[in-house]
Amino acid sequence: MATIKDIANRLGISVGTVSKGLNGANDISEQLRQSVLDTAVEMGYTPKQMRAKDNRRLCVFIENMDYETPEQFGYDIILGFKQLAYRERCDVTVIPVTPSLQANEKYDTYMLKNGYVGAFMLGFALQDNWMEQLNTTTMPTVLFDNYIRKNLNVGYVGTDSFEGIDSAIEHLISLGHSKIALLNGSSHSMITEQRRQAYIDSMSAHNLTFDENWMPYAHFSADAAKYHVAGLLDLGATAIICGNDLLASGAIEDCRKRGIKIPEDISIIGFDDIPVSAKLNPPLTTIRQDRLELGKCGFYTLNSLINHVSVSKNLLRPQLIIRNSTASVKN
Amino acid sequence: MATIKDIANRLGISVGTVSKGLNGANDISEQLRQSVLDTAVEMGYTPKQMRAKDNRRLCVFIENMDYETPEQFGYDIILGFKQLAYRERCDVTVIPVTPSLQANEKYDTYMLKNGYVGAFMLGFALQDNWMEQLNTTTMPTVLFDNYIRKNLNVGYVGTDSFEGIDSAIEHLISLGHSKIALLNGSSHSMITEQRRQAYIDSMSAHNLTFDENWMPYAHFSADAAKYHVAGLLDLGATAIICGNDLLASGAIEDCRKRGIKIPEDISIIGFDDIPVSAKLNPPLTTIRQDRLELGKCGFYTLNSLINHVSVSKNLLRPQLIIRNSTASVKN
């Protein structure tokens, strides 16, 4: 675990200043205090004041998502959530969840028994036991990328797929493309359906031609791409937007095997901007979800619910990150 | 302006306890302190600590919306915004905006000149001068019921129309209705288009029949209803969902003039739940937007933007309030 000295070294300030930041002293700026707290959380240092008995206890439930190292998808989401929770004097416990935990104990019971006043849920699937129970839970609960209808205690946070897909299509149009396919993720996922609708809306708004064959479902894995790329090439696609970066990396690999050059012969766009995207060959153009912001947004939304402001959906802006996997259409 | 004694009387606590709440003393509970602050804001009392020089200055710009008395639509929105702003030590100035102010000064210039670090905008229309400038503003800005594409500094808050319209349609179906019309608000409004799409989605999902004639555009006023009600009755509608409560009150009035009884002959549903809705004859079933929560949501969203969390859309849960303007379909 990091010490005060580690935090001081990282920020290039004195140990005394770090202490002031951690203790809420008045003679340092609010901005510096927040930097100290954010860095403490990032480095795994837990100031004593954060362990006080009267702190509100929150938890992050996570499954189907890696989060233990900075390269993994969930790491920054949890970090962002914790950074804001610290500022507001909340304790955060991260709990990996298994199907058997969900089968053995009701969600509300688990929360009450352990004294949690709110939860942020990452990576849950629609068929999970606890998802069904969220329809009627009385615990303030925020879901990442999942939506529960009509329960005032449950909110959804995610990235605005409509704006993301539209940015990607507009970027491709500016490069002369009109034959644009969507190689989507797994069917029966809320996010997959949202991105499909976003593709339909944006293609229609730009008067581009497409049909069912242009938007196949695959899976959210690199391996799934190879079953679909050939079909899209046969249709004459000059650009493929993929459901996530893994799928995009698989599409790049499959094209390479077929002797098709990227971006000269075909443009590929991903979704997420996971750390590996910049290191692909070629570096991937992708629709970025800012995971640190998603974690912060999760905290803001949970805090709203705890304060009886019934947020239904809180969506973040995506950003199109343009790298080298997209180029002007081949004449 | 209210005094400390007024606040004490309202809450039924001593003047000393109110003082403690206002001064942030440690020996009262956090919950009571927040009650004291919320009540102080509601009663127009400004504690000295809130006027300190280092407070962040926020403003609420408002036009096309009444807000000066509790019966008016904007009142509770502004109250909710101020209540949370006080807790976070922000000053709030409410500024009625005219077209000439917008023509005379650029939005960013106005904000910078007056030292505001963020704004909440209510009642703006798409053709307003400042709306165009929001595409590129660098000032954290939150819009109620209006959406700006792709600017990381601008967020949108509102009520989830999709869930609201769907609740209304499900309520009518449970009463045996299937011939359900949407008497919508003014065309070219984002909210009108959203409610139209929500109607289309929900009617389709429930396999109910409708076409263009079942979803006419009117205006957001009582007077506009009379041009459309007869047409909907001719189509055989047994229920009409209206774009807002004013339009619903106009529909009720027009039916009465035609000798058509509500809810015996036709069911009417409004949108908003403005204070007058409960006093109509019959009291109106309506899709409630909680205006106090909308104001609070506006503050949370603005605070997110100020902290570089780029919220695109933050939507609140609507609630269907069932009164006497809906009943089982006539056999």
Side-chain angles (χ1 to χ4, degrees):
Chain A
M1 189 189 276
T3 65
I4 290 191
K5 197 155 190 317
D6 296 330
I7 300 170
N9 286 342
R10 166 82 79 89
L11 289 170
I13 60 179
S14 73
V15 167
T17 307
V18 172
S19 291
K20 283 181 183 177
L22 296 175
N23 300 325
N26 286 324
D27 57 345
I28 69 167
S29 74
E30 180 59 20
Q31 201 171 6
L32 183 54
R33 192 184 75 84
Q34 295 204 340
S35 268
V36 169
L37 282 176
D38 284 356
T39 307
V41 176
E42 191 183 335
M43 299 181 75
Y45 177 88
T46 312
K48 272 195 214 102
Q49 69 176 79
M50 297 311 307
R51 300 192 216 110
K53 274 216 163 156
D54 61 344
N55 285 345
R56 285 181 305 176
R57 301 187 65 206
L58 306 178
C59 63
V60 177
F61 291 112
I62 187 161
E63 65 168 355
N64 305 314
M65 192 186 287
D66 295 322
Y67 64 96
E68 284 170 341
T69 66
E71 296 74 36
Q72 295 175 327
F73 190 83
Y75 185 89
D76 274 353
I77 300 180
I78 292 177
L79 178 58
F81 185 87
K82 280 186 175 175
Q83 286 181 335
L84 285 199
Y86 262 63
R87 289 192 201 167
E88 300 287 329
R89 299 177 182 247
C90 297
D91 284 336
V92 178
T93 310
V94 178
I95 303 169
V97 169
T98 57
S100 73
L101 172 65
Q102 295 181 55
N104 290 336
E105 189 132 57
K106 287 226 162 78
Y107 173 65
D108 282 14
T109 311
Y110 188 91
M111 293 289 286
L112 288 169
K113 212 170 73 175
N114 292 287
Y116 297 122
V117 300
F120 186 29
M121 289 188 165
L122 304 175
F124 278 64
L126 292 175
Q127 68 272 19
D128 274 320
N129 267 7
W130 281 4
M131 286 294 286
E132 170 70 27
Q133 296 169 29
L134 291 184
N135 288 305
T136 53
T137 185
T138 58
M139 299 299 308
T141 305
V142 172
L143 289 163
F144 170 63
D145 272 358
N146 258 314
Y147 174 62
I148 295 289
R149 293 178 73 219
K150 296 184 184 170
N151 185 340
L152 298 178
N153 302 305
V154 183
Y156 145 49
V157 300
T159 298
D160 188 339
S161 295
F162 291 88
E163 196 162 308
I165 297 285
D166 194 47
S167 299
I169 289 176
E170 289 192 344
H171 167 60
L172 291 169
I173 290 172
S174 76
L175 294 169
H177 294 270
S178 61
K179 296 175 174 180
I180 303 169
L182 174 69
L183 177 53
N184 210 340
S186 318
S187 59
H188 304 300
S189 135
M190 188 195 74
I191 282 307
T192 300
E193 292 308 319
Q194 209 177 69
R195 289 177 190 167
R196 182 181 169 91
Q197 191 60 49
Y199 170 81
I200 293 170
D201 289 359
S202 179
M203 291 292 280
S204 306
H206 291 100
N207 296 313
L208 298 182
T209 310
F210 66 99
D211 62 27
E212 277 297 321
N213 298 315
W214 287 78
M215 43 182 178
Y217 293 102
H219 288 283
F220 286 121
S221 70
D223 206 43
K226 63 173 181 264
Y227 303 105
H228 302 279
V229 168
L232 297 175
L233 292 171
D234 286 347
L235 288 173
T238 63
I240 303 175
I241 299 170
C242 299
N244 73 359
D245 291 343
L246 291 176
L247 204 43
S249 73
I252 289 176
E253 182 60 22
D254 192 62
C255 286
R256 189 186 339 275
K257 282 186 187 157
R258 294 170 193 279
I260 293 163
K261 291 198 215 95
I262 294 163
E264 295 81 356
D265 299 329
I266 191 163
S267 288
I268 304 276
I269 297 184
F271 206 116
D272 285 347
D273 197 26
I274 53 175
V276 77
S277 307
K279 296 170 198 155
L280 292 176
N281 178 19
L284 187 67
T285 295
T286 186
I287 300 156
R288 179 167 208 219
Q289 305 203 55
D290 189 310
R291 294 184 301 283
L292 205 59
E293 285 192 24
L294 276 168
K296 290 180 177 177
C297 193
F299 178 81
Y300 279 128
T301 304
L302 186 54
N303 198 35
S304 300
L305 294 176
I306 289 170
N307 287 298
H308 308 291
V309 174
S310 306
V311 173
S312 163
K313 301 172 186 159
N314 197 351
L315 301 181
L316 283 178
R317 300 267 179 192
Q319 264 196 294
L320 185 69
I321 307 295
I322 299 174
R323 299 199 183 98
N324 303 107
S325 65
T326 46
S328 293
V329 70
K330 206 174 169 180
N331 286 313
Chain B
M1 190 189 276
T3 65
I4 289 191
K5 196 156 190 323
D6 296 329
I7 300 169
N9 286 341
R10 166 82 79 92
L11 289 170
I13 59 180
S14 74
V15 167
T17 307
V18 173
S19 290
K20 284 182 184 178
L22 296 175
N23 298 326
N26 285 326
D27 57 345
I28 69 167
S29 74
E30 180 59 21
Q31 201 171 6
L32 182 55
R33 193 185 74 84
Q34 294 204 339
S35 267
V36 169
L37 281 176
D38 284 355
T39 308
V41 177
E42 190 184 335
M43 298 181 76
Y45 177 87
T46 312
K48 271 194 214 104
Q49 69 177 79
M50 299 310 309
R51 300 192 216 110
K53 274 217 165 156
D54 60 345
N55 285 345
R56 287 181 304 177
R57 301 187 65 206
L58 306 178
C59 64
V60 177
F61 291 113
I62 187 162
E63 64 168 357
N64 305 316
M65 192 187 287
D66 295 321
Y67 63 97
E68 285 171 340
T69 66
E71 296 74 35
Q72 294 174 328
F73 190 84
Y75 185 87
D76 275 351
I77 300 180
I78 292 177
L79 178 58
F81 185 88
K82 280 186 174 175
Q83 286 181 335
L84 285 200
Y86 261 63
R87 291 192 199 167
E88 301 287 328
R89 298 175 184 252
C90 297
D91 284 337
V92 178
T93 310
V94 178
I95 303 169
V97 168
T98 56
S100 74
L101 172 64
Q102 295 181 58
N104 289 336
E105 189 132 54
K106 288 223 161 81
Y107 173 63
D108 283 14
T109 312
Y110 187 91
M111 293 289 286
L112 288 169
K113 212 170 73 175
N114 292 287
Y116 297 121
V117 300
F120 186 30
M121 288 189 165
L122 305 175
F124 278 64
L126 292 174
Q127 68 273 19
D128 273 319
N129 267 6
W130 281 3
M131 287 293 287
E132 170 70 27
Q133 296 170 29
L134 290 184
N135 288 303
T136 53
T137 185
T138 58
M139 298 299 308
T141 304
V142 172
L143 288 163
F144 170 64
D145 272 358
N146 258 315
Y147 174 61
I148 295 289
R149 292 178 73 219
K150 296 183 186 173
N151 184 341
L152 299 179
N153 303 304
V154 182
Y156 144 49
V157 299
T159 298
D160 189 340
S161 295
F162 290 88
E163 196 163 307
I165 297 286
D166 194 47
S167 299
I169 288 176
E170 289 192 343
H171 166 62
L172 291 168
I173 289 171
S174 77
L175 295 170
H177 294 269
S178 61
K179 298 178 172 177
I180 303 169
L182 174 70
L183 177 52
N184 210 341
S186 317
S187 58
H188 305 301
S189 135
M190 189 195 74
I191 281 308
T192 299
E193 293 308 318
Q194 208 177 70
R195 291 177 189 167
R196 182 182 169 90
Q197 191 61 47
Y199 169 81
I200 294 169
D201 289 359
S202 178
M203 291 292 280
S204 305
H206 291 100
N207 296 313
L208 298 181
T209 309
F210 65 99
D211 63 26
E212 277 296 319
N213 298 316
W214 287 78
M215 43 183 177
Y217 292 102
H219 289 283
F220 286 121
S221 70
D223 206 44
K226 63 173 180 265
Y227 302 106
H228 302 278
V229 168
L232 296 175
L233 292 171
D234 286 346
L235 288 173
T238 63
I240 303 175
I241 299 170
C242 300
N244 73 359
D245 291 343
L246 292 176
L247 203 43
S249 73
I252 289 175
E253 182 60 23
D254 192 61
C255 286
R256 188 185 340 274
K257 282 185 186 156
R258 295 172 193 278
I260 293 164
K261 291 197 215 96
I262 294 164
E264 294 81 356
D265 299 329
I266 190 163
S267 288
I268 304 277
I269 297 183
F271 206 117
D272 285 347
D273 196 26
I274 54 174
V276 77
S277 308
K279 296 170 198 156
L280 292 176
N281 178 20
L284 187 67
T285 294
T286 186
I287 300 156
R288 181 167 206 217
Q289 305 202 55
D290 189 311
R291 295 184 301 283
L292 205 60
E293 286 192 25
L294 277 169
K296 290 180 178 179
C297 192
F299 178 80
Y300 279 128
T301 305
L302 187 54
N303 198 35
S304 300
L305 295 176
I306 290 170
N307 287 299
H308 307 292
V309 175
S310 305
V311 174
S312 162
K313 300 173 186 159
N314 197 351
L315 300 182
L316 282 178
R317 299 266 178 191
Q319 264 195 292
L320 185 69
I321 306 296
I322 298 173
R323 299 197 183 98
N324 304 106
S325 66
T326 47
S328 293
V329 70
K330 205 175 168 179
N331 288 313

